[in-house]
Amino acid sequence: MNCIFCKSDSSNSRSTEHIVPESLGNKEHTLPPGVVCDKCNNYFATKVEKYFLESDAIKSLRFEQMIKSKRNRIPPVDGFVSAKYPAKIFKKITDDYSFDFFLETNDAGLKHLQTAQQGNIYIPYNHKPPDKFLTSRFLAKMALELLADRLFKAKEDVQYIINEEQLDPIRYHAREGRIRKWPFYERRIYPANRHFKDKNGKLVQTLFELDILVTEKNEYYFIFALFGIELTINIGGPELEGYEKWLEKNNYVSPLYIN
């Protein structure tokens, strides 16, 4: 067995690769050990996914939507007590529909909390989005892994992905960042707080969705939506013209919701 990214022997690898990080709520979309070698698995976790997950905008989203990390914790965010005293703010889920706030602050903030009869906690919401270059590499990583997952589930030979030279650009963009400008298409397709009832009548949200679009011209696009923010990358090369034409032809319906 060889790794789909570095192509090295991965027969002794033991890590299960999560196509979407566990810290975004993914428990199901995984690849068995060896499809991605231990070295590449660790690289993506520490050099690509970490910076996406810990960017201000994504960390704020995870805090707001109460998405737990691998360690079963909601990431804290920076804020203020009474708009004056800096604080680190934590959430702890108490049941399906409620949570408690906890915070850390400096001595002045603590003194204020002990003496004030009332006050407010402020959480800034105007956060800088994750770096576009790292986001592009993050999408490229998930795209190649979803291709491998589709082949694996269809009981086809994953070796095709390793041998296919046309996949080398996105492979090395994900693993090494060789191409500095690999654009992706971004838009919101539904509100982050969209709720609906499942078949059991329980109120639920959509954390994330992912799929592959194959156009009439045999172009492959990876589609990923996180709480309604849809991100699309061309698996075949760093251009989006074909996808933009597909959207126009299909009245801008998301590929996630067509046929």
Side-chain angles (χ1 to χ4, degrees), residues 97-256:
Y97 300 102
S98 61
F99 58 89
D100 289 331
F101 270 120
F102 299 88
L103 59 86
E104 294 177 356
T105 185
N106 56 24
D107 290 344
L110 181 60
K111 184 176 180 180
H112 172 78
L113 288 170
Q114 292 172 330
T115 56
Q117 295 182 352
Q118 62 181 14
N120 297 298
I121 296 174
Y122 293 88
I123 302 174
Y125 198 72
N126 186 22
H127 292 299
K128 183 180 178 181
D131 178 78
K132 287 188 178 296
F133 176 60
L134 280 173
T135 301
S136 176
R137 294 182 63 196
F138 175 56
L139 293 171
K141 173 257 180 195
M142 290 192 292
L144 202 65
E145 290 181 350
L146 186 59
L147 278 177
D149 182 59
R150 294 288 171 84
L151 287 175
F152 190 81
K153 288 179 177 177
K155 298 183 178 179
E156 299 288 343
D157 190 358
V158 178
Q159 191 71 28
Y160 161 77
I161 292 180
I162 300 165
N163 296 336
E164 179 53 67
E165 293 182 357
Q166 292 186 60
L167 293 175
D168 283 348
I170 197 164
R171 186 192 331 274
Y172 297 125
H173 174 57
R175 183 62 175 85
E176 301 174 6
R178 290 187 185 183
I179 300 176
R180 293 299 304 179
K181 292 185 179 180
W182 196 304
F184 56 90
Y185 193 94
E186 180 177 359
R187 61 174 179 165
R188 178 168 288 284
I189 56 176
Y190 52 81
N193 289 317
R194 183 187 71 168
H195 289 76
F196 58 93
K197 291 184 178 180
D198 65 11
K199 61 183 180 181
N200 298 316
K202 185 177 181 180
L203 202 62
V204 297
Q205 283 179 274
T206 305
L207 272 73
F208 64 84
E209 303 170 87
L210 67 167
D211 207 344
I212 294 172
L213 167 70
V214 184
T215 68
E216 294 176 352
K217 293 186 177 181
N218 207 36
E219 296 173 309
Y220 281 62
Y221 294 92
F222 170 71
I223 321 293
F224 176 68
L226 178 63
F227 280 103
I229 300 175
E230 184 190 78
L231 305 170
T232 302
I233 192 169
N234 186 348
I235 297 175
E239 62 87 20
L240 292 168
E241 183 180 356
Y243 181 65
E244 291 168 343
K245 289 181 178 178
W246 184 92
L247 284 176
E248 184 177 3
K249 181 178 179 180
N250 290 276
N251 298 315
Y252 293 91
V253 175
S254 171
L256 297 168

